[in-house]
PDB file of all heavy atoms in Angstrom:
ATOM      1  N   PRO A  32     -15.756   8.190  -5.196  1.00 93.00           N
ATOM      2  CA  PRO A  32     -14.382   8.792  -5.198  1.00 93.00           C
ATOM      3  C   PRO A  32     -13.544   8.151  -4.252  1.00 93.00           C
ATOM      4  O   PRO A  32     -12.259   8.036  -4.489  1.00 93.00           O
ATOM      5  CB  PRO A  32     -14.672  10.223  -4.714  1.00 93.00           C
ATOM      6  CG  PRO A  32     -16.052  10.303  -4.109  1.00 93.00           C
ATOM      7  CD  PRO A  32     -16.797   9.202  -4.813  1.00 93.00           C
ATOM      8  N   GLU A  33     -13.893   7.457  -3.188  1.00 91.00           N
ATOM      9  CA  GLU A  33     -13.037   6.804  -2.278  1.00 91.00           C
ATOM     10  C   GLU A  33     -12.910   5.246  -2.564  1.00 91.00           C
ATOM     11  O   GLU A  33     -12.209   4.540  -1.917  1.00 91.00           O
ATOM     12  CB  GLU A  33     -13.605   6.781  -0.808  1.00 91.00           C
ATOM     13  CG  GLU A  33     -13.621   8.313  -0.278  1.00 91.00           C
ATOM     14  CD  GLU A  33     -14.232   8.396   1.088  1.00 91.00           C
ATOM     15  OE1 GLU A  33     -14.582   7.332   1.695  1.00 91.00           O
ATOM     16  OE2 GLU A  33     -14.141   9.501   1.699  1.00 91.00           O
ATOM     17  N   ASN A  34     -13.641   4.874  -3.702  1.00 93.00           N
ATOM     18  CA  ASN A  34     -13.363   3.403  -4.120  1.00 93.00           C
ATOM     19  C   ASN A  34     -13.860   2.406  -3.100  1.00 93.00           C
ATOM     20  O   ASN A  34     -13.294   1.334  -3.050  1.00 93.00           O
ATOM     21  CB  ASN A  34     -12.019   3.152  -4.639  1.00 93.00           C
ATOM     22  CG  ASN A  34     -11.847   1.853  -5.453  1.00 93.00           C
ATOM     23  OD1 ASN A  34     -12.834   1.522  -6.276  1.00 93.00           O
ATOM     24  ND2 ASN A  34     -10.818   1.201  -5.274  1.00 93.00           N
ATOM     25  N   ARG A  35     -14.852   2.834  -2.279  1.00 92.00           N
ATOM     26  CA  ARG A  35     -15.357   1.855  -1.278  1.00 92.00           C
ATOM     27  C   ARG A  35     -16.034   0.661  -1.977  1.00 92.00           C
ATOM     28  O   ARG A  35     -15.973  -0.432  -1.414  1.00 92.00           O
ATOM     29  CB  ARG A  35     -16.361   2.494  -0.363  1.00 92.00           C
ATOM     30  CG  ARG A  35     -15.683   3.528   0.581  1.00 92.00           C
ATOM     31  CD  ARG A  35     -14.712   3.008   1.534  1.00 92.00           C
ATOM     32  NE  ARG A  35     -15.261   1.849   2.293  1.00 92.00           N
ATOM     33  CZ  ARG A  35     -15.945   1.873   3.360  1.00 92.00           C
ATOM     34  NH1 ARG A  35     -16.369   3.063   3.808  1.00 92.00           N
ATOM     35  NH2 ARG A  35     -16.372   0.778   4.044  1.00 92.00           N
ATOM     36  N   LEU A  36     -16.568   0.844  -3.126  1.00 93.00           N
ATOM     37  CA  LEU A  36     -17.266  -0.229  -3.824  1.00 93.00           C
ATOM     38  C   LEU A  36     -16.360  -1.055  -4.718  1.00 93.00           C
ATOM     39  O   LEU A  36     -16.774  -2.116  -5.389  1.00 93.00           O
ATOM     40  CB  LEU A  36     -18.433   0.245  -4.656  1.00 93.00           C
ATOM     41  CG  LEU A  36     -19.371   1.054  -3.903  1.00 93.00           C
ATOM     42  CD1 LEU A  36     -20.552   1.644  -4.759  1.00 93.00           C
ATOM     43  CD2 LEU A  36     -19.920   0.273  -2.769  1.00 93.00           C
ATOM     44  N   LEU A  37     -15.035  -0.662  -4.640  1.00 94.00           N
ATOM     45  CA  LEU A  37     -14.034  -1.528  -5.365  1.00 94.00           C
ATOM     46  C   LEU A  37     -14.247  -1.845  -6.867  1.00 94.00           C
ATOM     47  O   LEU A  37     -14.218  -2.858  -7.394  1.00 94.00           O
ATOM     48  CB  LEU A  37     -13.883  -2.922  -4.684  1.00 94.00           C
ATOM     49  CG  LEU A  37     -13.558  -2.845  -3.199  1.00 94.00           C
ATOM     50  CD1 LEU A  37     -13.630  -4.255  -2.537  1.00 94.00           C
ATOM     51  CD2 LEU A  37     -12.163  -2.259  -2.982  1.00 94.00           C
ATOM     52  N   ALA A  38     -14.575  -0.695  -7.617  1.00 94.00           N
ATOM     53  CA  ALA A  38     -14.477  -0.804  -9.057  1.00 94.00           C
ATOM     54  C   ALA A  38     -13.211  -0.891  -9.609  1.00 94.00           C
ATOM     55  O   ALA A  38     -12.988  -1.280 -10.839  1.00 94.00           O
ATOM     56  CB  ALA A  38     -15.187   0.562  -9.566  1.00 94.00           C
ATOM     57  N   ARG A  39     -12.181  -0.654  -8.878  1.00 95.00           N
ATOM     58  CA  ARG A  39     -10.657  -0.824  -9.222  1.00 95.00           C
ATOM     59  C   ARG A  39      -9.913  -1.237  -8.024  1.00 95.00           C
ATOM     60  O   ARG A  39     -10.514  -1.164  -6.853  1.00 95.00           O
ATOM     61  CB  ARG A  39     -10.133   0.410  -9.812  1.00 95.00           C
ATOM     62  CG  ARG A  39     -10.201   1.656  -8.821  1.00 95.00           C
ATOM     63  CD  ARG A  39      -9.622   3.006  -9.295  1.00 95.00           C
ATOM     64  NE  ARG A  39     -10.027   4.070  -8.525  1.00 95.00           N
ATOM     65  CZ  ARG A  39      -9.301   4.398  -7.344  1.00 95.00           C
ATOM     66  NH1 ARG A  39      -8.266   3.525  -6.992  1.00 95.00           N
ATOM     67  NH2 ARG A  39      -9.689   5.303  -6.645  1.00 95.00           N
ATOM     68  N   MET A  40      -8.692  -1.623  -8.372  1.00 95.00           N
ATOM     69  CA  MET A  40      -7.864  -1.903  -7.164  1.00 95.00           C
ATOM     70  C   MET A  40      -7.207  -0.591  -6.607  1.00 95.00           C
ATOM     71  O   MET A  40      -6.952   0.206  -7.359  1.00 95.00           O
ATOM     72  CB  MET A  40      -6.704  -2.886  -7.446  1.00 95.00           C
ATOM     73  CG  MET A  40      -5.836  -3.313  -6.364  1.00 95.00           C
ATOM     74  SD  MET A  40      -6.817  -4.288  -5.215  1.00 95.00           S
ATOM     75  CE  MET A  40      -5.619  -4.828  -4.097  1.00 95.00           C
ATOM     76  N   ASN A  41      -7.035  -0.478  -5.314  1.00 92.00           N
ATOM     77  CA  ASN A  41      -6.405   0.655  -4.616  1.00 92.00           C
ATOM     78  C   ASN A  41      -4.956   0.543  -4.853  1.00 92.00           C
ATOM     79  O   ASN A  41      -4.336  -0.382  -4.795  1.00 92.00           O
ATOM     80  CB  ASN A  41      -6.782   0.655  -3.169  1.00 92.00           C
ATOM     81  CG  ASN A  41      -8.212   0.893  -2.826  1.00 92.00           C
ATOM     82  OD1 ASN A  41      -8.862   1.784  -3.362  1.00 92.00           O
ATOM     83  ND2 ASN A  41      -8.793  -0.070  -1.897  1.00 92.00           N
ATOM     84  N   VAL A  42      -4.554   1.823  -5.079  1.00 90.00           N
ATOM     85  CA  VAL A  42      -2.993   2.031  -5.168  1.00 90.00           C
ATOM     86  C   VAL A  42      -2.531   1.933  -3.572  1.00 90.00           C
ATOM     87  O   VAL A  42      -3.126   2.562  -2.806  1.00 90.00           O
ATOM     88  CB  VAL A  42      -2.586   3.385  -5.715  1.00 90.00           C
ATOM     89  CG1 VAL A  42      -1.101   3.509  -5.603  1.00 90.00           C
ATOM     90  CG2 VAL A  42      -2.960   3.356  -7.143  1.00 90.00           C
ATOM     91  N   ARG A  43      -1.480   1.252  -3.357  1.00 87.00           N
ATOM     92  CA  ARG A  43      -1.059   0.981  -2.011  1.00 87.00           C
ATOM     93  C   ARG A  43       0.268   1.683  -1.746  1.00 87.00           C
ATOM     94  O   ARG A  43       1.248   1.543  -2.493  1.00 87.00           O
ATOM     95  CB  ARG A  43      -0.988  -0.503  -1.628  1.00 87.00           C
ATOM     96  CG  ARG A  43      -2.176  -1.308  -1.915  1.00 87.00           C
ATOM     97  CD  ARG A  43      -3.320  -1.051  -0.923  1.00 87.00           C
ATOM     98  NE  ARG A  43      -2.827  -1.338   0.510  1.00 87.00           N
ATOM     99  CZ  ARG A  43      -2.687  -2.597   0.928  1.00 87.00           C
ATOM    100  NH1 ARG A  43      -2.989  -3.554   0.309  1.00 87.00           N
ATOM    101  NH2 ARG A  43      -2.225  -2.764   2.112  1.00 87.00           N
ATOM    102  N   ARG A  44       0.308   2.262  -0.510  1.00 89.00           N
ATOM    103  CA  ARG A  44       1.710   2.683  -0.067  1.00 89.00           C
ATOM    104  C   ARG A  44       2.409   1.538   0.628  1.00 89.00           C
ATOM    105  O   ARG A  44       1.870   0.660   1.186  1.00 89.00           O
ATOM    106  CB  ARG A  44       1.390   3.791   1.049  1.00 89.00           C
ATOM    107  CG  ARG A  44       1.015   5.147   0.544  1.00 89.00           C
ATOM    108  CD  ARG A  44       1.020   6.053   1.670  1.00 89.00           C
ATOM    109  NE  ARG A  44       0.460   7.392   1.281  1.00 89.00           N
ATOM    110  CZ  ARG A  44       1.285   8.288   0.766  1.00 89.00           C
ATOM    111  NH1 ARG A  44       2.548   8.188   0.697  1.00 89.00           N
ATOM    112  NH2 ARG A  44       0.702   9.526   0.468  1.00 89.00           N
ATOM    113  N   LEU A  45       3.742   1.595   0.431  1.00 90.00           N
ATOM    114  CA  LEU A  45       4.573   0.572   1.110  1.00 90.00           C
ATOM    115  C   LEU A  45       4.564   0.921   2.659  1.00 90.00           C
ATOM    116  O   LEU A  45       4.647   2.098   3.039  1.00 90.00           O
ATOM    117  CB  LEU A  45       6.017   0.686   0.597  1.00 90.00           C
ATOM    118  CG  LEU A  45       6.383  -0.178  -0.525  1.00 90.00           C
ATOM    119  CD1 LEU A  45       7.959   0.040  -0.847  1.00 90.00           C
ATOM    120  CD2 LEU A  45       6.049  -1.582  -0.436  1.00 90.00           C
ATOM    121  N   ASP A  46       4.395  -0.069   3.450  1.00 90.00           N
ATOM    122  CA  ASP A  46       4.428   0.242   4.931  1.00 90.00           C
ATOM    123  C   ASP A  46       5.870   0.185   5.402  1.00 90.00           C
ATOM    124  O   ASP A  46       6.795  -0.070   4.654  1.00 90.00           O
ATOM    125  CB  ASP A  46       3.669  -0.830   5.717  1.00 90.00           C
ATOM    126  CG  ASP A  46       4.146  -2.222   5.455  1.00 90.00           C
ATOM    127  OD1 ASP A  46       5.266  -2.384   5.146  1.00 90.00           O
ATOM    128  OD2 ASP A  46       3.240  -3.130   5.674  1.00 90.00           O
ATOM    129  N   ALA A  47       6.091   0.694   6.626  1.00 91.00           N
ATOM    130  CA  ALA A  47       7.384   0.859   7.186  1.00 91.00           C
ATOM    131  C   ALA A  47       8.266  -0.379   7.162  1.00 91.00           C
ATOM    132  O   ALA A  47       9.399  -0.386   6.836  1.00 91.00           O
ATOM    133  CB  ALA A  47       7.245   1.436   8.712  1.00 91.00           C
ATOM    134  N   GLU A  48       7.641  -1.582   7.462  1.00 90.00           N
ATOM    135  CA  GLU A  48       8.471  -2.777   7.382  1.00 90.00           C
ATOM    136  C   GLU A  48       9.055  -3.127   6.087  1.00 90.00           C
ATOM    137  O   GLU A  48      10.094  -3.565   5.810  1.00 90.00           O
ATOM    138  CB  GLU A  48       7.599  -4.014   7.966  1.00 90.00           C
ATOM    139  CG  GLU A  48       7.327  -3.901   9.445  1.00 90.00           C
ATOM    140  CD  GLU A  48       6.062  -3.098   9.764  1.00 90.00           C
ATOM    141  OE1 GLU A  48       5.587  -2.449   8.925  1.00 90.00           O
ATOM    142  OE2 GLU A  48       5.709  -3.193  10.971  1.00 90.00           O
ATOM    143  N   SER A  49       8.116  -2.777   5.123  1.00 92.00           N
ATOM    144  CA  SER A  49       8.572  -3.127   3.548  1.00 92.00           C
ATOM    145  C   SER A  49       9.716  -2.140   3.190  1.00 92.00           C
ATOM    146  O   SER A  49      10.541  -2.677   2.482  1.00 92.00           O
ATOM    147  CB  SER A  49       7.339  -3.070   2.708  1.00 92.00           C
ATOM    148  OG  SER A  49       6.351  -4.016   3.052  1.00 92.00           O
ATOM    149  N   ILE A  50       9.565  -1.044   3.619  1.00 95.00           N
ATOM    150  CA  ILE A  50      10.648  -0.028   3.200  1.00 95.00           C
ATOM    151  C   ILE A  50      11.936  -0.369   3.931  1.00 95.00           C
ATOM    152  O   ILE A  50      13.053  -0.378   3.382  1.00 95.00           O
ATOM    153  CB  ILE A  50      10.294   1.390   3.641  1.00 95.00           C
ATOM    154  CG1 ILE A  50       9.015   1.870   2.825  1.00 95.00           C
ATOM    155  CG2 ILE A  50      11.399   2.393   3.525  1.00 95.00           C
ATOM    156  CD1 ILE A  50       8.461   3.119   3.253  1.00 95.00           C
ATOM    157  N   ARG A  51      11.774  -0.743   5.267  1.00 93.00           N
ATOM    158  CA  ARG A  51      12.996  -1.194   5.931  1.00 93.00           C
ATOM    159  C   ARG A  51      13.700  -2.452   5.376  1.00 93.00           C
ATOM    160  O   ARG A  51      14.841  -2.499   5.156  1.00 93.00           O
ATOM    161  CB  ARG A  51      12.637  -1.472   7.440  1.00 93.00           C
ATOM    162  CG  ARG A  51      13.751  -2.109   8.298  1.00 93.00           C
ATOM    163  CD  ARG A  51      13.325  -2.379   9.648  1.00 93.00           C
ATOM    164  NE  ARG A  51      14.320  -3.015  10.425  1.00 93.00           N
ATOM    165  CZ  ARG A  51      14.790  -4.285  10.427  1.00 93.00           C
ATOM    166  NH1 ARG A  51      14.116  -5.134   9.606  1.00 93.00           N
ATOM    167  NH2 ARG A  51      15.645  -4.793  11.159  1.00 93.00           N
ATOM    168  N   ASP A  52      12.851  -3.403   5.000  1.00 92.00           N
ATOM    169  CA  ASP A  52      13.442  -4.663   4.309  1.00 92.00           C
ATOM    170  C   ASP A  52      14.050  -4.282   3.012  1.00 92.00           C
ATOM    171  O   ASP A  52      15.045  -5.030   2.567  1.00 92.00           O
ATOM    172  CB  ASP A  52      12.298  -5.697   4.160  1.00 92.00           C
ATOM    173  CG  ASP A  52      12.041  -6.431   5.526  1.00 92.00           C
ATOM    174  OD1 ASP A  52      12.658  -6.099   6.523  1.00 92.00           O
ATOM    175  OD2 ASP A  52      11.006  -7.229   5.570  1.00 92.00           O
ATOM    176  N   ALA A  53      13.438  -3.427   2.300  1.00 92.00           N
ATOM    177  CA  ALA A  53      13.923  -3.102   0.916  1.00 92.00           C
ATOM    178  C   ALA A  53      15.335  -2.406   1.045  1.00 92.00           C
ATOM    179  O   ALA A  53      16.386  -2.854   0.275  1.00 92.00           O
ATOM    180  CB  ALA A  53      13.050  -2.076   0.130  1.00 92.00           C
ATOM    181  N   ILE A  54      15.449  -1.585   2.103  1.00 94.00           N
ATOM    182  CA  ILE A  54      16.731  -0.921   2.338  1.00 94.00           C
ATOM    183  C   ILE A  54      17.792  -1.978   2.806  1.00 94.00           C
ATOM    184  O   ILE A  54      18.963  -2.054   2.202  1.00 94.00           O
ATOM    185  CB  ILE A  54      16.703   0.115   3.374  1.00 94.00           C
ATOM    186  CG1 ILE A  54      15.852   1.360   2.889  1.00 94.00           C
ATOM    187  CG2 ILE A  54      18.109   0.516   3.842  1.00 94.00           C
ATOM    188  CD1 ILE A  54      15.434   2.193   4.029  1.00 94.00           C
ATOM    189  N   LEU A  55      17.404  -2.914   3.591  1.00 93.00           N
ATOM    190  CA  LEU A  55      18.334  -3.912   4.043  1.00 93.00           C
ATOM    191  C   LEU A  55      18.742  -4.918   2.965  1.00 93.00           C
ATOM    192  O   LEU A  55      19.811  -5.507   2.758  1.00 93.00           O
ATOM    193  CB  LEU A  55      17.752  -4.770   5.172  1.00 93.00           C
ATOM    194  CG  LEU A  55      17.591  -3.992   6.511  1.00 93.00           C
ATOM    195  CD1 LEU A  55      16.811  -4.927   7.482  1.00 93.00           C
ATOM    196  CD2 LEU A  55      18.973  -3.618   7.021  1.00 93.00           C
ATOM    197  N   LEU A  56      17.625  -5.226   2.036  1.00 91.00           N
ATOM    198  CA  LEU A  56      17.923  -6.106   0.839  1.00 91.00           C
ATOM    199  C   LEU A  56      18.966  -5.544   0.014  1.00 91.00           C
ATOM    200  O   LEU A  56      19.907  -6.225  -0.384  1.00 91.00           O
ATOM    201  CB  LEU A  56      16.661  -6.314   0.132  1.00 91.00           C
ATOM    202  CG  LEU A  56      16.851  -7.235  -1.011  1.00 91.00           C
ATOM    203  CD1 LEU A  56      17.047  -8.709  -0.505  1.00 91.00           C
ATOM    204  CD2 LEU A  56      15.545  -7.319  -1.927  1.00 91.00           C
TER     205      LEU A  56
END
């Protein structure tokens, strides 16, 4: 259930820097 064995790619949250850069962009 936690996908530790990587049968698929994990969905990722944007981190703070990426959100900030997106706003500035």
Side-chain angles (χ1 to χ4, degrees):
E33 295 181 357
N34 195 37
R35 292 297 309 279
L36 302 179
L37 299 174
R39 57 178 171 80
M40 187 57 179
N41 292 308
V42 176
R43 303 287 305 282
R44 287 182 181 273
L45 277 181
D46 56 25
E48 288 87 353
S49 301
I50 293 172
R51 174 185 180 275
D52 284 358
I54 293 170
L55 292 175
L56 180 68

